[in-house]
Amino acid sequence: DVKVTQSSRYLVKRTGEKVFLECVQDMDHENMFWYRQDPGLGLRLIYFSYDVKMKEKGDIPEGYSVSREKKERFSLILESASTNQTSMYLCASTQGQFEAFFGQGTRLTVV
Amino acid sequence: EDQVTQSPEALRLQEGESSSLNCSYTVSGLRGLFWYRQDPGKGPEFLFTLYSAGEEKEKERLKATLTKKESFLHITAPKPEDSATYLCAVQDGTASKLTFGTGTRLQVTL
């Protein structure tokens, strides 16, 4: 069974903290993505990576950075968390034009 | 810029009452159109991929169809366990990223 695993289901962080969200896939996929999902706004792409050490900005990259040092792992970093980054974060991976597989999501609350 | 619009936003059906969800899209060179199901608090679960106009895919009570401008997800004789949010996404010819619609929240009651 294919698997995308996110390190946490729920996180509560304080404003100004540096936050790391980790995602690991076991399918040897080239492409990995970070989305955030908010009510009424759907899934919005933050960053994606099509190879190790390669990254591209998505639609809403401000306040975020990413790291992909190994093919199977893609990290999302909130440099200084703010309350407007409270959201559901979803990691996905895909190979070429085939379907993307998603992790279970991390619900992040910034207080 | 790729755009995906889903309608209706929410749909309430009685068990056994068939209906269709719509996904309209604009994309430069469609590489694939994807349907996902998402249960509350969980990640989206893949349902179907459609690659070209005229293509159809079926799975249990669900059937997805594709034209050059839109896709439909037909739900035949739905059951309460079909209640979920259904998401549509497109992948264009220039990049691997997916652009999602905001989803249709389906509730099926007894």
Side-chain angles (χ1 to χ4, degrees):
Chain A
D1 244 8
V2 296
K3 212 158 189 181
V4 178
T5 304
Q6 294 182 226
S7 52
S8 306
R9 288 296 306 274
Y10 301 95
L11 273 180
V12 180
K13 296 291 181 180
R14 294 193 181 279
T15 301
E17 270 193 83
K18 191 167 185 175
V19 181
F20 293 85
L21 303 183
E22 307 283 346
C23 175
V24 177
Q25 51 100 356
D26 65 358
M27 296 163 283
D28 203 35
H29 283 172
E30 290 173 348
N31 308 309
M32 296 187 74
F33 308 83
W34 276 106
Y35 290 87
R36 66 177 280 178
Q37 185 175 32
D38 301 286
L41 297 177
L43 278 80
R44 293 180 291 165
L45 182 64
I46 305 171
Y47 267 96
F48 66 103
S49 168
Y50 51 88
D51 202 351
V52 175
K53 297 192 186 292
M54 306 301 284
K55 61 186 179 186
E56 293 263 352
K57 291 181 181 179
D59 300 317
I60 50 163
E62 296 78 20
Y64 303 94
S65 62
V66 290
S67 172
R68 193 165 180 203
E69 296 296 318
K70 293 185 178 181
K71 193 174 185 180
E72 66 270 19
R73 188 179 296 268
F74 192 34
S75 302
L76 180 69
I77 303 150
L78 286 67
E79 297 290 342
S80 177
S82 63
T83 54
N84 63 14
Q85 292 178 310
T86 291
S87 186
M88 170 74 116
Y89 289 87
L90 290 160
C91 174
S93 74
T94 187
Q95 183 74 16
Q97 65 181 114
F98 300 105
E99 64 272 20
F101 292 91
F102 283 84
Q104 75 277 32
T106 297
R107 184 160 299 281
L108 172 67
T109 303
V110 182
V111 298
Chain B
E1 189 180 316
D2 301 341
Q3 283 194 323
V4 179
T5 303
Q6 290 187 248
S7 62
E9 228 174 88
L11 181 62
R12 189 182 170 108
L13 298 174
Q14 285 202 316
E15 185 174 14
E17 181 187 359
S18 302
S19 188
S20 297
L21 313 183
N22 178 262
C23 171
S24 299
Y25 64 90
T26 54
V27 65
S28 54
L30 180 71
R31 207 173 179 193
L33 184 139
F34 303 85
W35 281 99
Y36 287 85
R37 170 195 169 121
Q38 186 176 26
D39 293 302
K42 296 189 176 180
E45 178 187 331
F46 170 73
L47 292 173
F48 302 110
T49 309
L50 301 165
Y51 293 109
S52 56
E55 193 174 356
E56 298 182 354
K57 294 262 177 84
E58 271 187 83
K59 180 179 177 179
E60 295 179 2
R61 295 177 292 282
L62 299 177
K63 179 179 174 181
T65 61
L66 181 65
T67 72
K68 287 187 178 179
K69 291 183 180 180
E70 57 192 349
S71 176
F72 292 93
L73 185 65
H74 307 279
I75 303 177
T76 302
K79 298 182 177 182
E81 53 262 42
D82 295 322
S83 297
T85 296
Y86 291 85
L87 299 168
C88 172
V90 296
Q91 185 183 51
D92 69 29
T94 59
S96 298
K97 67 173 189 173
L98 293 175
T99 300
F100 281 84
T102 52
T104 293
R105 194 169 60 254
L106 173 67
Q107 185 180 11
V108 182
T109 58
L110 291 169

